[in-house]
Every structure is written in C-alpha cells, then in structure tokens.
Amino acid sequence: MILGIGTDLANIERIAGTLERFGDRFRNRVFTEIEQNKAERRADIAGTYAKRWAAKEACSKALGTGLRMGISWKDMAVSNLRTGQPVMELTGWAKERLDAMTPAGHEAIVHVTLTDDHPWAQAFVVIEARPVSGLTQGTPSSM
C-alpha cells in the first residue's frame, strides 16, 4: 500500500548560486558527509547537490509534513547502491514520522528516483508499506 508520494523540481543554477554564496555553511546544514563526498567527486557538483535537495523536499512531502514539525534536512539522506540506484535513509524525526505512519504488521520502503536535465533536477519519492515478511494474514509464508 502507498503511504505517501512526493515530488520536487530544483533549479541547478539556484543551488550553484547558493553553494557559491554560502559554501560550507549551506553544505553542512543540508547535506550529510556521505552526500557531500559524493557531490564533490562529481563533474557536476551543483547538479548532484540539486538532485539530493529535490529528494529531501520530495521525501518531506511524502511524509506529509513538508520541512516543518522538526524534520531536519540531514534526517533524510540519499546514497547510492553499487548499481548506482539511489536510496533514501531516514533518521531522527523523519524516521519517527515514518514509523508512526506505517501500519502495524508492515514495513516501510522508501523508493526514490532522481533525474536532471540542466538547469533542472527532479526527484520522486514513494513510501510503500509492505506486510512483514513471513506473515500473510496470520498464516506462515510456507503455506
């Protein structure tokens, strides 16, 4: 079952200007160390940050809160699997919100996809609740 859907569109040039103007103050307020390391290794630094910015905005919308109610930017972090697929990890208040909106007997899966076409970066986040493995309607999964 779908618990939440969020999307965001970020302007890469706007993020580039913010990076130029505020530098580490902006990076350290919004992005985790892993996100910063990833972005700083890329040819398109601003585009990488913009996609992650959009993902955090999209995730906050999927959580039904937007960036209020105590969610910190760093409570939502994008990393990549070895295949390159982006994944979203939630901590702090964002994780608490996710846990509160997940029905009993279910686990939450946060799906994220990122794309960019200069000057735009876009993200979609879908939060899905799946029944906990091994149990279906109270019966063993081997049946």
Side-chain angles (χ1 to χ4, degrees), residues 51-74:
K51 285 186 281 190
R52 278 146 182 76
W53 171 279
K56 292 167 186 272
E57 287 275 6
C59 185
S60 71
K61 293 170 185 175
L63 289 168
T65 63
L67 285 161
R68 61 174 209 265
M69 298 174 61
I71 290 181
S72 164
W73 287 102
K74 289 183 173 182

Side-chain angles (χ1 to χ4, degrees), residues 34-45 48-49:
I34 291 170
E35 291 172 315
Q36 291 181 47
N37 290 338
K38 172 82 172 184
E40 297 299 326
R41 289 191 313 262
R42 303 295 294 268
D44 184 9
I45 293 171
T48 302
Y49 279 122

Side-chain angles (χ1 to χ4, degrees), residues 5-123:
I5 299 172
T7 186
D8 193 66
L9 185 65
N11 185 290
I12 296 169
E13 293 171 4
R14 180 174 156 252
I15 296 297
T18 302
L19 286 165
E20 188 175 305
R21 183 171 179 199
F22 296 104
D24 286 342
R25 187 169 143 214
F26 172 64
R27 283 182 195 87
N28 294 330
R29 178 174 174 246
V30 175
F31 302 100
T32 66
E33 187 175 328
I34 291 170
E35 291 172 315
Q36 291 181 47
N37 290 338
K38 172 82 172 184
E40 297 299 326
R41 289 191 313 262
R42 303 295 294 268
D44 184 9
I45 293 171
T48 302
Y49 279 122
K51 285 186 281 190
R52 278 146 182 76
W53 171 279
K56 292 167 186 272
E57 287 275 6
C59 185
S60 71
K61 293 170 185 175
L63 289 168
T65 63
L67 285 161
R68 61 174 209 265
M69 298 174 61
I71 290 181
S72 164
W73 287 102
K74 289 183 173 182
D75 286 349
M76 301 165 287
V78 178
S79 61
N80 296 84
L81 300 177
R82 288 182 183 211
T83 61
Q85 176 184 349
V87 292
M88 177 74 71
E89 180 184 354
L90 302 182
T91 58
W93 198 91
K95 174 73 167 113
E96 291 174 22
R97 171 70 178 148
L98 179 66
D99 291 344
M101 62 191 285
T102 304
H106 289 73
E107 61 183 340
I109 311 295
V110 180
H111 303 277
V112 61
T113 187
L114 310 171
T115 191
D116 65 291
D117 187 6
H118 198 85
W120 301 106
Q122 186 173 31

